[in-house]
Amino acid sequence: MWFASPIGRARIAGDSASMPQVASHRAVFLVGFMGAGKTSVGRSLGRRLGWSFEDLDDRIQVRAGRSIEEIFRDLGEAEFRRLENAALRELLSDVSVGPRVVALGGGAFAQPENAALLETAGVQVIFLDGSAEELFHRCELERRERPLLRDAKQFRELYEQRRSSYLKASCRIDTTSKDVDGIAAEVACRIGLK
Ligand code: S3P
């Protein structure tokens, strides 16, 4: 089943640094809408490749000392986006980690400045794709609190607004009706690390 793999989140701390320095063969970034499976697939891919895994939302929470829900509720989305960009810069500047798989939150790659940072860094960006209906269903099953998840109509509208941004990734993988480990295997294959 889709969410058979546990969805845990690593906690990684660190101070800020300036410019992205990650070499392309040492980092894979997973992007896509809420429910695309970025965290679950990222964990599985990390295990498969023997690379570390990080979810950017975890770094944001550690830096802010608040949960994603609290950041949205207390500080608003604009401040969340600022924290997200700062966390991404910090992550890209940290060359001490070794090879890694990174899951970005659903809105991160839709922000042009974040997409530009990844392009400059020359990292692999993989878009995990799926229909709005399937992704909404997965989010409902997951029952995780998501500040930007309201109802099916609003979910589809946001999905449609962002889809063209996700399509700028270096590679697109259709996740429809596939399981987490199978998708991770497909990502590894597509980036030549089978
Ligand atoms: C967001 C998605 C969330 C999280 C935040 C904003 C978005 O991550 O970053 O709530 O803008 O779509 P997931 O895609 O892991 O749910």
Side-chain angles (χ1 to χ4, degrees), residues 2-26:
W2 174 256
F3 283 117
S5 305
I7 300 166
R9 293 187 163 212
R11 292 179 72 80
I12 297 170
D15 290 317
S16 65
S18 52
M19 290 310 292
Q21 293 166 12
V22 179
S24 57
H25 63 285
R26 297 181 56 87

CSV table of all heavy atoms in Angstrom, one decimal, residues 2-26:
chain,number,residue,atom,x,y,z
A,2,TRP,N,0.3,2.4,-0.4
A,2,TRP,CA,1.0,3.6,-0.6
A,2,TRP,C,1.8,4.0,0.6
A,2,TRP,O,3.0,4.2,0.6
A,2,TRP,CB,0.1,4.7,-1.1
A,2,TRP,CG,0.8,6.0,-1.1
A,2,TRP,CD1,0.8,7.0,-0.2
A,2,TRP,CD2,1.8,6.4,-2.1
A,2,TRP,NE1,1.6,8.0,-0.6
A,2,TRP,CE2,2.3,7.6,-1.7
A,2,TRP,CE3,2.4,5.8,-3.2
A,2,TRP,CZ2,3.2,8.3,-2.4
A,2,TRP,CZ3,3.3,6.4,-3.9
A,2,TRP,CH2,3.7,7.7,-3.5
A,3,PHE,N,1.1,4.2,1.8
A,3,PHE,CA,1.8,4.7,2.9
A,3,PHE,C,2.2,3.6,3.9
A,3,PHE,O,2.1,3.8,5.1
A,3,PHE,CB,0.9,5.8,3.6
A,3,PHE,CG,1.0,7.1,2.8
A,3,PHE,CD1,-0.1,7.6,2.2
A,3,PHE,CD2,2.2,7.7,2.7
A,3,PHE,CE1,0.0,8.8,1.5
A,3,PHE,CE2,2.3,8.9,1.9
A,3,PHE,CZ,1.2,9.4,1.4
A,4,ALA,N,2.5,2.4,3.4
A,4,ALA,CA,3.0,1.3,4.2
A,4,ALA,C,4.3,1.7,4.9
A,4,ALA,O,4.5,1.4,6.1
A,4,ALA,CB,3.2,0.1,3.4
A,5,SER,N,5.1,2.5,4.3
A,5,SER,CA,6.4,2.9,4.9
A,5,SER,C,6.1,4.0,5.9
A,5,SER,O,5.3,4.9,5.7
A,5,SER,CB,7.3,3.5,3.9
A,5,SER,OG,7.5,2.6,2.8
A,6,PRO,N,6.8,3.9,7.1
A,6,PRO,CA,6.5,4.9,8.2
A,6,PRO,C,7.0,6.3,7.7
A,6,PRO,O,8.0,6.4,7.0
A,6,PRO,CB,7.3,4.4,9.3
A,6,PRO,CG,8.3,3.4,8.8
A,6,PRO,CD,7.7,2.9,7.5
A,7,ILE,N,6.3,7.3,8.1
A,7,ILE,CA,6.7,8.6,7.7
A,7,ILE,C,7.2,9.3,8.9
A,7,ILE,O,6.5,9.9,9.7
A,7,ILE,CB,5.5,9.4,7.1
A,7,ILE,CG1,5.0,8.6,5.8
A,7,ILE,CG2,5.9,10.8,6.7
A,7,ILE,CD1,3.6,9.1,5.4
A,8,GLY,N,8.5,9.2,9.1
A,8,GLY,CA,9.1,9.9,10.2
A,8,GLY,C,9.9,11.1,9.6
A,8,GLY,O,10.1,11.2,8.4
A,9,ARG,N,10.4,12.0,10.5
A,9,ARG,CA,11.1,13.2,9.9
A,9,ARG,C,12.3,13.4,10.7
A,9,ARG,O,12.3,13.4,12.0
A,9,ARG,CB,10.2,14.4,10.0
A,9,ARG,CG,9.0,14.2,9.1
A,9,ARG,CD,8.2,15.5,9.0
A,9,ARG,NE,7.4,15.4,7.8
A,9,ARG,CZ,7.1,16.4,7.0
A,9,ARG,NH1,7.5,17.6,7.4
A,9,ARG,NH2,6.3,16.3,6.0
A,10,ALA,N,13.5,13.5,10.0
A,10,ALA,CA,14.8,13.7,10.7
A,10,ALA,C,14.8,15.1,11.3
A,10,ALA,O,14.2,16.0,10.8
A,10,ALA,CB,15.9,13.5,9.7
A,11,ARG,N,15.6,15.2,12.3
A,11,ARG,CA,15.7,16.5,12.9
A,11,ARG,C,17.2,16.9,12.7
A,11,ARG,O,18.1,16.3,13.2
A,11,ARG,CB,15.4,16.5,14.4
A,11,ARG,CG,13.9,16.3,14.6
A,11,ARG,CD,13.6,16.3,16.1
A,11,ARG,NE,13.7,17.6,16.6
A,11,ARG,CZ,12.7,18.6,16.5
A,11,ARG,NH1,11.6,18.3,15.8
A,11,ARG,NH2,12.9,19.7,17.1
A,12,ILE,N,17.4,17.9,12.0
A,12,ILE,CA,18.8,18.3,11.7
A,12,ILE,C,19.0,19.8,12.0
A,12,ILE,O,18.2,20.6,11.6
A,12,ILE,CB,19.1,18.1,10.2
A,12,ILE,CG1,19.0,16.6,9.9
A,12,ILE,CG2,20.5,18.6,9.8
A,12,ILE,CD1,19.1,16.2,8.5
A,13,ALA,N,20.0,20.1,12.8
A,13,ALA,CA,20.2,21.5,13.2
A,13,ALA,C,21.4,22.0,12.4
A,13,ALA,O,22.2,21.3,11.8
A,13,ALA,CB,20.5,21.6,14.7
A,14,GLY,N,21.6,23.3,12.5
A,14,GLY,CA,22.8,23.9,11.8
A,14,GLY,C,22.7,25.4,11.7
A,14,GLY,O,21.6,26.0,11.8
A,15,ASP,N,23.8,26.1,11.6
A,15,ASP,CA,23.8,27.5,11.4
A,15,ASP,C,23.8,27.9,9.9
A,15,ASP,O,24.2,27.1,9.1
A,15,ASP,CB,24.9,28.2,12.1
A,15,ASP,CG,24.7,28.1,13.6
A,15,ASP,OD1,23.6,28.3,14.1
A,15,ASP,OD2,25.6,27.7,14.3
A,16,SER,N,23.5,29.1,9.6
A,16,SER,CA,23.4,29.5,8.2
A,16,SER,C,24.7,29.7,7.6
A,16,SER,O,25.7,30.0,8.2
A,16,SER,CB,22.6,30.8,8.1
A,16,SER,OG,23.3,31.8,8.7
A,17,ALA,N,24.8,29.5,6.3
A,17,ALA,CA,26.0,29.7,5.5
A,17,ALA,C,25.5,30.3,4.2
A,17,ALA,O,24.3,30.5,4.0
A,17,ALA,CB,26.7,28.4,5.2
A,18,SER,N,26.3,30.7,3.3
A,18,SER,CA,25.9,31.5,2.2
A,18,SER,C,25.5,30.7,0.9
A,18,SER,O,24.3,30.4,0.7
A,18,SER,CB,26.9,32.6,1.8
A,18,SER,OG,28.2,32.0,1.7
A,19,MET,N,26.4,30.4,0.0
A,19,MET,CA,26.0,30.0,-1.3
A,19,MET,C,26.0,28.4,-1.5
A,19,MET,O,26.8,27.7,-0.9
A,19,MET,CB,27.0,30.6,-2.4
A,19,MET,CG,26.8,32.1,-2.5
A,19,MET,SD,25.1,32.5,-2.8
A,19,MET,CE,24.8,31.8,-4.4
A,20,PRO,N,25.1,28.0,-2.4
A,20,PRO,CA,25.0,26.5,-2.6
A,20,PRO,C,26.3,26.0,-3.2
A,20,PRO,O,26.9,26.6,-4.1
A,20,PRO,CB,23.9,26.5,-3.7
A,20,PRO,CG,23.2,27.8,-3.6
A,20,PRO,CD,24.2,28.8,-3.1
A,21,GLN,N,26.7,24.8,-2.7
A,21,GLN,CA,27.9,24.2,-3.2
A,21,GLN,C,27.7,22.7,-3.5
A,21,GLN,O,28.7,22.0,-3.6
A,21,GLN,CB,29.0,24.4,-2.2
A,21,GLN,CG,29.5,25.8,-2.0
A,21,GLN,CD,30.3,26.0,-0.8
A,21,GLN,OE1,30.8,25.0,-0.2
A,21,GLN,NE2,30.5,27.2,-0.4
A,22,VAL,N,26.5,22.2,-3.5
A,22,VAL,CA,26.4,20.7,-3.6
A,22,VAL,C,26.6,20.2,-5.0
A,22,VAL,O,26.0,20.8,-5.9
A,22,VAL,CB,24.9,20.3,-3.1
A,22,VAL,CG1,24.7,18.8,-3.3
A,22,VAL,CG2,24.7,20.8,-1.7
A,23,ALA,N,27.4,19.2,-5.2
A,23,ALA,CA,27.7,18.7,-6.5
A,23,ALA,C,26.5,17.8,-6.9
A,23,ALA,O,25.9,17.2,-6.1
A,23,ALA,CB,28.9,17.9,-6.5
A,24,SER,N,26.2,17.8,-8.2
A,24,SER,CA,24.9,17.2,-8.7
A,24,SER,C,24.9,15.7,-8.4
A,24,SER,O,23.8,15.2,-8.1
A,24,SER,CB,24.8,17.4,-10.2
A,24,SER,OG,25.9,16.8,-10.8
A,25,HIS,N,26.0,15.0,-8.4
A,25,HIS,CA,25.9,13.5,-8.2
A,25,HIS,C,25.8,13.2,-6.7
A,25,HIS,O,25.7,12.1,-6.3
A,25,HIS,CB,27.2,12.9,-8.7
A,25,HIS,CG,28.4,13.3,-8.1
A,25,HIS,ND1,29.0,14.5,-8.4
A,25,HIS,CD2,29.2,12.7,-7.2
A,25,HIS,CE1,30.1,14.6,-7.6
A,25,HIS,NE2,30.3,13.6,-6.9
A,26,ARG,N,25.8,14.2,-5.8
A,26,ARG,CA,25.8,14.0,-4.4
A,26,ARG,C,24.4,14.4,-3.8
A,26,ARG,O,24.3,14.3,-2.6
A,26,ARG,CB,26.9,14.7,-3.7
A,26,ARG,CG,28.2,14.1,-4.2
A,26,ARG,CD,29.5,14.7,-3.6
A,26,ARG,NE,29.5,14.6,-2.2
A,26,ARG,CZ,30.0,13.6,-1.5
A,26,ARG,NH1,30.4,12.5,-2.1
A,26,ARG,NH2,30.0,13.7,-0.1
